[in-house]
Amino acid sequence: MRAQWMLISTLLFALITAVFAVINVEPVRVNFLFTQADIPLILVILGSTLLGGLIAFLIGLFRQIKLQRKIKQLEKRLNEASSEQALTVTEDAGTRPFLSADTDLEHVEDGNNSSK
């Protein structure tokens, strides 16, 4: 649902920008660092919009790559911690003395036989 709203809002923005650009076709003077040029305003509007979209896309792509790396790193740490915890639980189970039901019954029966 969110993707649909994003697509609709993007298309609406593109439509508004296109209409605005078509209305403004007279040439304007653009000052670059070392020179000036007379360019139709429609090209300035569309170029600025495309450049802004490209910059936003690249920033989003950079953030997504950064987050994917972080997710992989955290998943690796989680797997290592889970392995260590499983190893610790296995080692603890091997060193703990415990009595089985059979052992308890043997002691009870030995106790009953010795008292007779």
Side-chain angles (χ1 to χ4, degrees):
M1 185 70 160
R2 183 175 182 222
Q4 291 173 346
W5 282 111
M6 188 67 114
L7 179 64
I8 291 170
S9 62
T10 302
L11 291 175
L12 184 64
F13 178 75
L15 179 67
I16 291 170
T17 303
V19 169
F20 182 72
V22 169
I23 292 172
N24 295 293
V25 292
E26 53 276 339
V28 293
R29 183 169 300 259
V30 178
N31 294 319
F32 297 106
L33 291 176
F34 302 108
T35 186
Q36 297 179 355
D38 289 328
I39 301 174
L41 187 55
I42 188 171
L43 294 179
V44 173
I45 293 170
L46 293 177
S48 299
T49 303
L50 291 175
L51 187 61
L54 180 65
I55 290 171
F57 172 75
L58 292 175
I59 289 172
L61 184 65
F62 175 74
R63 288 185 64 206
Q64 185 176 4
I65 291 171
K66 186 177 173 184
L67 289 174
Q68 285 176 347
R69 285 183 183 170
K70 186 71 171 177
I71 288 171
K72 286 180 183 179
Q73 181 185 32
L74 291 174
E75 285 176 344
K76 183 179 177 184
R77 286 180 53 195
L78 180 63
N79 288 337
E80 289 173 357
S82 297
S83 298
E84 288 177 10
Q85 184 180 13
L87 183 60
T88 304
V89 168
T90 305
E91 288 175 353
D92 287 346
T95 58
R96 287 187 187 163
F98 65 93
L99 299 175
S100 66
D102 295 338
T103 308
D104 291 340
L105 289 176
E106 289 174 5
H107 290 295
V108 171
E109 289 176 0
D110 288 340
N112 288 339
N113 290 340
S114 63
S115 63
K116 291 183 181 176

